[in-house]
Amino acid sequence: MTEWLEDGYDYLRDKMLDGIAEVGRIAMLVGDTFRKLGRGLRSFGLIVDQMDHIGVQSLMLVFIVSLFTGAVAAVQAGYQFANVVPLKFIGSVILRSVIIELGPVLTALIVGGRVGASIAAELGTMRVTEQIDALDAMAINPVRYLVVPRVIAALVMLPVLTIMANTIAIVGGWIVCLTTLDVSTHTYVTSMKTFFFMKDLWSGLIKAFFFGGIIAWMGCYYGFRTEGGAEGVGIATTRAVVSSCVLVLISDYVLANVLFRFIFTP
Amino acid sequence: MIKIRDLKIRLGKKQVLNGVDLDIPTGKTVVVMGRSGTGKSVLFKNIIGLMHPDSGSIEVDGQEVVGIPEKELNEVRKRFGVLFQSGALFDSMTVGENVGLPLREHTKLPDAEIRKRVADRLEWVGLKGVEAMKPASLSGGMRKRVGLARAIAMDPAYILYDEPTTGLDPIMSDVINRLIRSLQERIGVTSIVVTHDMNSAYHVADEMALLNEGRVVFTGTPDEARSTSDPIVRQFIEGSSEGPIKPL
């Protein structure tokens, strides 16, 4: 009986220590990124390449997801409003739910899936085929050369993609309003204008900025830590995607509290 | 001149290097032999600072490199060219971009000059005009030669070769062996070759060192290796499974 307890204790202790060590290593990677930021910024070409990869190449996916997000928001609002709230308010409900939550979070989740996975797989493969060692051996700092451009690109592109997503989602909602809810364009737009607050938009974009950092750092961290061959790359990819999605949602909660309680007070 | 003294490193539960002493004289090619898993690659990674030893010292041209800050280590690394086992080419770049990378990162040479130097180094390794190809479309031997062209792009004082002939056919192995020799003659470079290929070792070595159970158990010229009566060396160069070295 005591042996069983001891084993259990050892297992829990090891797991906890691993967890703490992991958080520490991620913090060190983030710290290293800031330390190499100055020199990394000079590699403008690398940053532009990553912006294309993270931002431009995600456009189609973001387009489709946002269009249907807006459409679903309109259908659901129509259903919930029935006989309770006049439909003339539907525009503002769609607008605010999209720019505060749906736009930034859904964009981060799908870009996290696409980009987080590709960063982890690329860097993981580079790790197991000695390409990262080769950079070190050539006196080229891998954090400066690989992590900084990806992080900067993600920090810039996530807010940009979110603006796109917001716009397209609003269009999606408008199409549903027009075709099935019998709400005119004029009513839709007026409602949006009446209840539009700049701070709502800002809060979404600030969140998107943080989500960009999470996605890039998680992809880079698990990519760098890859061990073994193809199996290791697979594990790294999965961990990068899962951890970035979970962290996006957790930080969404934290940021919502911080932003709306302390910064954009009602 | 590289001087390695009492180098020790433990990985997990295994004492991989247990007091390695080795001298690599300037202008010579030293071959470090040993079975797979005896710590050859670990030694190689310690020299270039990709791994850090638990204790011991590595001096490069009189400068201690163990435990120095990254900035100084990078200055030392610039004097090294490294050929990795798989070539370690960046597959997102073309061959030309790969070879030119250290030049673009560390020098202020104009583009035209870099292109010229890249073409020149590729010609040295017998691969003229392959700049636009991607690493994925190259054969194993070509990859290694491109890796070698990249290693010599900065005119290094030292070249480290990690298993340069592993996975190559005998003819390509000979091409690589000749290249290693010709580079030594052409630019007077000091080389460390880590290998378990005896053919290659005899071909390129000025001196040989045998690594066994974390220590250097033999150093000498290829002739001395051939004529030694040391049972460990004999077993290794004859490739026999019977003797003092126990198969794992």
Side-chain angles (χ1 to χ4, degrees), chain A residues 138-173:
Chain A
M138 280 190 265
I140 299 171
N141 184 289
V143 172
R144 198 253 306 160
Y145 195 78
L146 299 171
V147 180
V148 172
R150 284 168 174 76
V151 169
I152 292 177
L155 290 176
V156 174
M157 291 320 274
L158 254 282
V160 173
L161 284 172
T162 301
I163 293 175
M164 300 277 310
N166 289 345
T167 314
I168 292 159
I170 288 165
V171 172

Side-chain angles (χ1 to χ4, degrees), chain A residues 105-120:
Chain A
V105 173
L106 287 177
T107 305
L109 291 178
I110 51 165
V111 174
R114 200 189 86 85
V115 174
S118 89
I119 292 178

